[in-house]
Amino acid sequence: MSVISKIVPELANLESLDGHNYKRWSQKLLMYFEQLEIDYVLFNDPPKPITPTDVETTPPAAKDVKSNEEDIAKFVKDNKTARWHILNNMTNTLFDLFAVNKSAKFIWESLETKYGADDAGKTKYVVGKWLGFQMADGKPIMDQVHVYENLCADVVNEGMKLDDIFIANVLLDKFPPSWTHYRNQLKHKKKDLSLKELIGHMRTEEANRLKDLPASQSVDRSACCSLLKLIRLSPVVRLMLRNIRKAAKGPIVWYVCGKHGHKAYQCSEKKSAEANVVVTDDVIAVVVVKTNLVGNVL
């Protein structure tokens, strides 16, 4: 029972079979069945009940009959469990297609026949994605490395063998433009790097580059959030932005008295306006200087 309680939550996170991910899906599901010890129902026919025949002169022993009945009951139960998990981890379209079958073995074999056969077109597609992959500037290097590793795994899952040194050398040519100099340095090393060693060098290089960034390029997200909150709460800024939006339709409204047709120094509420400007001058200055920075980050 403890094993099942640990496995079932993991099964809930299994990606649904959609017809394009059969190999990975079937391997993961088979591992779950092995841990549940029900994988045998996918490869064996159900046990037949023991019945006496005309040839037999003595009836089967009672213990043999009981053992046979227990085996049949266990197979029926395990078949239902395996069938439920297989069907429950399919898309609705495939579920409707296979739900009429009561045998988990029959469903498993049908899926293998339909999706497990070698597909030359799919292999070429997977290899093409792997070879066409290219890192880009502006994205975290290690995130892109993980994408490359997944593409390599897809190629291997198609039955092709990839040497570790070869994979690492291909990755070298996938570096983004800003890493050209560093790539050339690695290529001049006498020792060939394994993929694990190369990724370790890349992780260190990325950390050093982030550490050496000028302070002007290091943005404090919490400060930006506070700035946005300040902008939203400031009535002066809200009025200014509203007036800017109205500029295309008509004259800008003086934000203190709410009227137009006169200049600021002619306004009857000039003193109040000056007071507002003095109080909010820093806020307006921060808004003007920081607006582009905040917009680029969030």
Side-chain angles (χ1 to χ4, degrees):
M1 183 63 67
S2 60
V3 175
I4 296 179
S5 63
K6 294 179 181 179
I7 300 303
V8 170
E10 296 179 3
L11 283 173
N13 298 326
L14 180 66
E15 58 182 341
S16 297
L17 175 66
D18 58 8
H20 301 287
N21 57 345
Y22 171 74
K23 288 191 175 181
R24 184 181 295 109
W25 175 88
S26 61
Q27 290 172 359
K28 288 184 177 181
L29 197 58
L30 183 58
M31 287 191 298
Y32 292 141
F33 288 163
E34 290 173 348
Q35 294 182 65
L36 294 175
E37 297 183 352
I38 62 174
D39 55 299
Y40 72 96
V41 302
L42 305 178
F43 311 105
N44 297 281
D45 294 324
K48 295 180 180 180
I50 297 178
T51 56
T53 63
D54 296 336
V55 179
E56 294 178 347
T57 57
T58 57
K63 63 177 183 179
D64 294 334
V65 174
K66 182 178 180 181
S67 176
N68 175 251
E69 292 175 347
E70 292 175 350
D71 291 342
I72 294 175
K74 182 177 186 305
F75 189 95
V76 170
K77 178 182 177 181
D78 292 343
N79 176 74
K80 290 180 179 180
T81 302
R83 176 179 176 271
W84 184 89
H85 283 305
I86 294 173
L87 294 176
N88 193 53
N89 288 284
M90 291 181 174
T91 60
N92 291 335
T93 302
L94 292 178
F95 175 88
D96 295 338
L97 182 63
F98 289 98
V100 295
N101 300 296
K102 302 300 181 182
S103 169
K105 179 175 180 289
F106 181 84
I107 298 175
W108 192 260
E109 291 177 344
S110 300
L111 291 173
E112 178 65 25
T113 302
K114 187 177 181 65
Y115 301 111
D118 291 336
D119 186 350
K122 182 180 178 182
T123 300
K124 293 177 181 177
Y125 171 76
V126 170
V127 173
K129 284 189 65 177
W130 172 59
L131 293 177
F133 171 78
Q134 181 63 51
M135 294 186 183
D137 289 318
K139 299 179 181 179
I141 284 293
M142 296 315 301
D143 289 350
Q144 299 184 74
V145 168
H146 295 328
V147 174
Y148 178 80
E149 289 180 300
N150 289 333
L151 292 175
C152 292
D154 290 339
V155 174
V156 173
N157 288 335
E158 289 302 314
M160 302 184 68
K161 295 183 179 180
L162 295 177
D163 180 74
D164 188 68
I165 301 297
F166 175 72
I167 295 176
N169 287 330
V170 173
L171 179 59
L172 271 175
D173 285 327
K174 304 296 184 181
F175 279 17
S178 63
W179 284 56
T180 301
H181 179 68
Y182 183 69
R183 177 188 61 198
N184 293 336
Q185 287 182 335
L186 293 177
K187 282 188 173 183
H188 283 89
K189 287 182 175 292
K190 294 182 178 181
K191 177 188 175 183
D192 288 328
L193 296 174
S194 67
L195 182 61
K196 183 178 180 179
E197 291 171 336
L198 176 58
I199 293 176
H201 284 296
M202 296 174 68
R203 183 179 290 109
T204 302
E205 176 66 13
E206 183 181 37
N208 290 334
R209 291 189 178 212
L210 293 175
K211 182 180 64 176
D212 295 337
L213 281 177
S216 59
Q217 297 182 22
S218 179
V219 180
D220 186 350
R221 182 174 294 271
S222 62
C224 293
C225 294
S226 299
L227 178 60
L228 285 178
K229 183 177 180 181
L230 178 62
I231 292 174
R232 290 195 299 268
L233 295 178
S234 173
V236 175
V237 174
R238 290 203 302 269
L239 285 171
M240 288 177 61
L241 294 176
R242 189 181 303 124
N243 287 337
I244 292 173
R245 288 195 296 268
K246 293 180 179 180
K249 299 180 180 179
I252 298 178
V253 178
W254 176 230
Y255 71 87
V256 176
C257 65
K259 301 177 181 179
H260 58 81
H262 63 282
K263 297 182 179 180
Y265 69 87
Q266 298 173 330
C267 181
S268 59
E269 301 182 29
K270 175 183 175 183
K271 293 183 179 180
S272 176
E274 291 176 348
N276 285 336
V277 170
V278 170
V279 172
T280 60
D281 184 62
D282 291 339
V283 174
I284 296 173
V286 170
V287 171
V288 173
V289 173
K290 296 291 186 179
T291 296
N292 287 337
L293 177 59
V294 175
N296 292 334
V297 174
L298 301 179

